[in-house]
Amino acid sequence: MNELDQKLHQAIHQHMMKTDPDLIFSGRVNVFAQVENKLGIKLHGTALDIGCGSGYASIWLAKNRPMSKVYAQESSKQAVDELLPRNINHYKVMGKVEALAGSFDAIPFDNALDFVVSFGAIHHSTCLYSTMHSIGNALKDDGYLICQEPVMPNTTSNQDYIDKYNIIENRFGMQIRNGDRNDNFFREAEYITAAAFSGLDLVLYESYKPKKSILGTIRSHLSRAGLRKILTGIGFIKKPASAQHKYLSEIMPMVLVFKKKKTEYIPHVWHGLN
């Protein structure tokens, strides 16, 4: 991460420290059952949760699946030193979940993981091929990469991305150019190609439809953003003019699962690709 991105993540994780640990779980954990049911597999063994944030996915796996070890990896020092240990201790999974500092472009495992999990993290990669290559090296043969990502249509143009990256956002009181925090939102074809070039075959690709509990829905509606959305929808307040690009309406929340299959070689790799 660059210096600006580091400051943003520090602010994000400081905010997460104020969240009651009992409330950290996201509906994204339902992706695990979705994948298991579709592919006829059961999560087990050793997993790595990259860009893990509060560690909610790692902790959920440790408590609900026969995992021998789950590594919760974050590049933020604040998360690794404070946020993750607090949440791991709160849920008493100290023996199963381990906080790990590092980048998902340099995963410190070699053919050792049964699963790699990424919920809304891989689209922050500065080089999707490097990230997929790192994940491919870390997985055992027949291991899986399970992702939930914001995906863009293949028709998204280069100019669309330039317009997106030049948007200035206000995040935690900081004015940040979208492109400076690597909020990339790759095309469908980019995810699939980068994975294929890294020895990872696509085995599941479908829409992500989050399930919210009644309590979660109430909390969402009572939030400032939720209330504003309701009032805007009924015309009580006027929708502000948006500086955002059309890409916002084209984002496709998707579940992507890739399987590492050992082959003699990888066909179709372009010459000159490092």
Side-chain angles (χ1 to χ4, degrees):
M1 291 190 292
N2 58 40
E3 185 177 347
L4 188 61
D5 217 3
Q6 287 176 356
K7 288 181 180 178
L8 174 61
H9 277 77
Q10 182 177 358
I12 291 171
H13 292 131
Q14 284 175 347
H15 177 73
M16 287 181 177
M17 282 293 292
K18 298 175 184 177
T19 301
D20 183 340
D22 287 329
L23 303 178
I24 65 170
F25 291 109
S26 161
R28 277 174 167 162
V29 296
N30 293 308
V31 167
F32 294 133
Q34 180 180 349
V35 169
E36 289 175 328
N37 293 336
K38 289 284 184 177
L39 298 181
I41 62 174
K42 199 73 173 177
L43 275 80
H44 67 281
T46 305
L48 172 70
D49 179 9
I50 56 178
C52 66
S54 66
Y56 70 90
S58 300
I59 293 167
W60 190 93
L61 280 174
K63 290 182 68 66
N64 294 280
R65 293 295 183 269
M67 311 303 299
S68 55
K69 192 77 170 184
V70 183
Y71 296 95
Q73 186 182 46
E74 255 295 344
S75 56
S76 162
K77 189 176 188 321
Q78 169 108 25
V80 174
D81 291 348
E82 300 177 38
L83 178 63
L84 289 169
R86 184 202 68 169
N87 291 340
I88 289 168
N89 289 334
H90 178 82
Y91 284 98
K92 298 179 172 57
V93 289
M94 292 78 76
K96 282 193 173 182
V97 180
E98 179 180 330
L100 182 68
S103 163
F104 42 62
D105 286 346
I107 297 173
F109 298 98
D110 184 15
N111 196 40
L113 302 172
D114 296 293
F115 294 91
V116 173
V117 177
S118 172
F119 288 162
I122 287 182
H123 71 273
H124 291 294
S125 168
T126 56
C127 175
L128 194 54
Y129 174 73
S130 296
T131 297
M132 289 295 188
H133 187 68
S134 177
I135 292 169
N137 285 341
L139 282 169
K140 297 176 182 177
D141 293 337
D142 295 324
Y144 290 88
L145 165 62
I146 299 173
C147 312
Q148 193 284 302
E149 285 288 311
V151 178
M152 295 300 294
N154 288 331
T155 53
T156 306
S157 70
N158 289 325
Q159 187 61 52
D160 288 336
Y161 277 113
I162 290 171
D163 293 343
K164 168 185 170 1
Y165 296 153
N166 283 327
I167 291 170
I168 305 297
E169 300 173 296
N170 192 326
R171 300 292 303 274
F172 291 90
M174 292 180 278
Q175 294 291 317
I176 300 175
R177 178 180 167 274
N178 182 265
D180 290 337
R181 67 184 191 93
N182 297 317
D183 199 24
N184 297 311
F185 295 11
F186 299 104
R187 301 175 184 93
E188 297 172 275
E190 292 177 288
Y191 282 105
I192 296 167
T193 303
F197 282 5
S198 303
L200 302 171
D201 296 328
L202 182 70
V203 293
L204 182 65
Y205 181 69
E206 61 182 29
S207 296
Y208 167 63
K209 297 176 181 177
K211 297 178 182 177
K212 277 188 178 179
S213 65
I214 295 175
L215 184 58
T217 302
I218 292 171
R219 283 198 190 104
S220 175
H221 287 168
L222 290 179
S223 69
R224 183 179 297 178
L227 184 59
R228 185 176 186 84
K229 185 176 180 180
I230 292 171
L231 294 176
T232 301
I234 63 177
F236 188 77
I237 59 175
K238 187 177 180 181
K239 186 176 181 180
S242 175
Q244 303 295 303
H245 188 251
K246 66 174 186 177
Y247 81 92
L248 281 173
S249 64
E250 296 180 347
I251 296 169
M252 301 179 294
M254 301 297 295
V255 175
L256 305 93
V257 182
F258 301 92
K259 185 175 184 179
K260 180 180 178 180
K261 293 295 291 184
K262 188 174 183 179
T263 56
E264 183 180 349
Y265 62 93
I266 299 173
H268 310 153
V269 176
W270 299 323
H271 295 295
L273 181 67
N274 295 320

